[in-house]
Amino acid sequence: MAIGIICEFNPFHNGHKYLIQKAKSLVNEPVAVVMSTSFTQRGEVAVTDKFTRAKSALLGGADLVIELPVAYAVSNAEVFAKSGVKILSSFSDMNYLAFGCENNNINLLKQAAQAHRNTAVQALVAKEMQNGSYYPKAIENAVREIYSNETADILSTPNNVLAVEYLKALPNNISPLPIQREGVAHDSKNTANNFASASYIREKLKSGENIGEFVPYSPSELAFPENLETALLYKLRSMTAKEIANLPDVTEGLENRIYSAIHEYNCVDEILFAVKSKRYTLARLRRILVCALLNITKEIQNIEPSYARVLGFTNEGAKILKNCNLPVITSVKKGLSLGCNIEKLLKTEIFATDIFSLATNPPQKCGADFTTPIIKI
C-alpha cells in the first residue's frame, strides 16, 4: 500500500515535512507525491527548479516524486486536483490520499464536495454569476444558503477548497486522509514554531534573508518572475484575440478585455489590474497569461493525464513504480517517441522547463529535462 500527496512544494518547507511524517505515522506506508513543476497554480514561475524541489521532498520523507505536467499545474483547482488524482490512481498500490487542510472534519469536507453536485446549489451559483460574481464566491454563498454556515466556511480557505476537489475526484479504492494544517495560515505573514507559509518563505528567499529555521533544505538557485516579464509581454503582443480565446479559463469574451489591455499597458501588473474584476480574480488571470507564455491551449489542458514521469525515488518508491497502469517515463527522449498525447504534454513540459531557465540569475542553459538524472536517495 502507499499514500499519495498532490503538491507544489514551492519551496519544500517544515509544514510539508510535517504533512509527510504525519501521514506516515497514521498508516505506516511509503509516500508518493505528484508535484507541480516549473510553474504553479498561482500562475507564477516556481521559486526553484523541479529537480531541487523533488530532491528536498525525498530527503524530507517522500519515497517517490512524479511530476504533475505543467499543463495541469497552471490550471484551476478542479483540473489541478483531478489530474493529480488521475496520476496517483494509476498506481495500484495507492490506497490513501493525504492532504493538509484548515479543517480536517471529513464529514464537512464530504458534504462540501457533495454540495457541488446539488442542483439547487448550482442554480443559485448560475444566478449569482449572472450578477457579476465569480465562481468560488458564488459556490460558497450558495452552499451557505442551502446547507449551513459551517459547510460554507469549508469553501472559504484555499487548502480546504483543494481538499474538496480531491474528494470530488477520488475513486472509491482510495481513502482520503485529511491532516490538520499546523503552524500558520496559508499566505500568512506570521511565523510560529519554525513554521511559515510558502509565500512568506519565497518573499524572504528573494530578498536574500536566511530562512533556515523554516525549511529543512534551503535552495541555492532561485527564479524571479520579473525576469520573464519582457518575454511574456512579447508573447502577448504577438497574439490575436482569437488566439487568446483558445487559452484555458478564457470565456465570455474575456479575450477582448485582455487584448485591449495588452495594447494599452506596458507592464504585466498593469494589464492584470486593468482586466481584473469581481468576476475575474488575479490568480485566474495570471494563469491565463502564463498559459499564453507556455503555449498551453484549452486543447492541451483537456488532454487526459497519460503518463507518470519520474523525478526521483527511494528504495521504497521503486516498489511503488512497479505497479503503474500508465506509461512510466524515466527518459524524456524515449517518452517523446511514444507520440500522440504523451508527446504533446512532454513537449509542453520541456518548453516550460526551458522558459523557467530564463528566470534565474544568470539564465541557465536549455535542456534540463534531458540532462538532469533521476534523483535516487
Side-chain angles (χ1 to χ4, degrees):
M1 295 199 298
I3 308 161
I5 293 175
I6 301 166
C7 59
E8 292 191 317
F9 293 166
N10 184 36
F12 186 82
H13 59 62
N14 292 344
H16 300 136
K17 186 174 181 178
Y18 170 82
L19 174 64
I20 292 172
Q21 290 176 339
K22 183 67 174 178
K24 284 188 169 184
S25 72
L26 289 172
V27 293
N28 194 30
E29 298 295 341
V31 166
V33 303
V34 171
M35 187 189 75
S36 60
T37 53
S38 299
F39 292 80
T40 69
Q41 210 205 358
R42 289 172 176 263
E44 295 176 348
V45 66
V47 73
T48 193
D49 69 271
K50 61 188 177 185
F51 308 106
T52 296
R53 285 154 46 229
K55 184 176 182 179
S56 296
L58 292 168
L59 291 171
D63 295 287
L64 173 64
V65 182
I66 301 291
E67 71 176 19
L68 179 66
V70 70
Y72 314 130
V74 295
S75 64
N76 60 43
E78 181 178 21
V79 175
F80 181 94
K82 184 170 66 175
S83 304
V85 168
K86 174 74 174 179
I87 293 170
L88 282 175
S89 62
S90 69
F91 294 92
S92 60
D93 287 344
M94 207 60 57
N95 292 88
Y96 300 95
L97 176 68
F99 47 86
C101 43
E102 289 85 1
N103 185 332
N104 66 347
N105 184 319
I106 190 62
N107 292 325
L108 282 177
L109 289 168
K110 285 182 175 179
Q111 189 171 77
Q114 182 187 46
H116 280 73
R117 304 184 183 96
N118 185 300
T119 54
V121 167
Q122 289 305 321
L124 284 176
V125 169
K127 183 178 179 180
E128 188 164 335
M129 290 185 70
Q130 285 173 356
N131 295 327
S133 184
Y134 68 109
Y135 184 78
K137 196 64 184 174
I139 187 80
E140 183 185 336
N141 291 342
V143 170
R144 197 174 302 281
E145 185 167 335
I146 301 294
Y147 287 81
S148 66
N149 288 337
E150 203 176 17
T151 305
D153 286 345
I154 289 288
L155 300 172
S156 67
T157 53
N159 287 294
N160 279 348
V161 168
L162 269 175
V164 168
E165 293 299 338
Y166 294 146
L167 292 177
K168 286 167 57 182
L170 273 184
N172 292 332
N173 63 313
I174 297 181
S175 300
L177 198 63
I179 294 173
Q180 184 78 38
R181 186 182 175 94
E182 289 289 322
V184 296
H186 184 87
D187 278 348
S188 173
K189 300 296 183 184
N190 299 317
T191 64
N193 301 321
N194 295 331
F195 288 105
S197 68
S199 58
Y200 177 91
I201 294 169
R202 288 193 297 272
E203 186 179 304
K204 296 301 179 185
L205 268 172
K206 289 175 182 178
S207 63
E209 296 181 47
N210 189 335
I211 45 90
E213 64 180 300
F214 308 119
V215 298
Y217 316 100
S218 200
S220 56
E221 196 95 53
L222 303 181
F224 297 85
E226 56 269 27
N227 289 355
L228 297 179
E229 176 135 347
T230 300
L232 176 54
L233 288 171
Y234 167 80
K235 177 63 179 181
L236 293 173
R237 291 184 181 187
S238 70
M239 296 180 76
T240 64
K242 185 176 180 181
E243 288 171 328
I244 295 170
N246 286 330
L247 299 173
D249 268 346
V250 175
T251 58
E252 302 166 325
L254 179 58
E255 67 272 16
N256 298 315
R257 289 170 60 95
I258 296 173
Y259 184 83
S260 296
I262 288 166
H263 293 86
E264 186 173 350
Y265 299 100
N266 61 1
C267 82
V268 171
D269 280 347
E270 288 179 348
I271 292 169
L272 288 168
F273 281 98
V275 180
K276 182 186 180 296
S277 68
K278 188 166 69 171
R279 191 177 187 99
Y280 305 120
T281 64
L282 281 175
R284 176 178 175 179
L285 295 173
R286 281 196 298 264
R287 286 196 295 269
I288 289 170
L289 296 194
V290 85
C291 283
L293 177 66
L294 302 178
N295 301 322
I296 297 171
T297 61
K298 290 172 181 172
E299 177 194 0
I300 289 174
Q301 198 172 89
N302 287 335
I303 294 173
E304 284 281 309
S306 47
Y307 62 85
R309 194 254 177 115
V310 183
L311 294 179
F313 58 87
T314 66
N315 289 337
E316 287 297 319
K319 297 174 186 175
I320 301 171
L321 271 176
K322 293 178 181 178
N323 298 295
C324 183
N325 59 34
L326 288 176
V328 173
I329 305 295
T330 55
S331 161
V332 168
K333 185 177 180 180
K334 291 179 181 177
L336 289 171
S337 69
L338 297 176
C340 300
N341 287 338
I342 293 177
E343 183 182 13
K344 286 181 183 178
L345 287 171
L346 273 177
K347 281 184 174 178
T348 303
E349 187 64 41
I350 292 162
F351 182 65
T353 306
D354 289 343
I355 295 298
F356 171 92
S357 71
L358 296 174
T360 59
N361 291 330
Q364 300 170 358
K365 293 181 180 178
C366 287
D369 278 306
F370 295 95
T371 60
T372 308
I374 290 174
I375 302 146
K376 300 175 184 178
I377 301 295

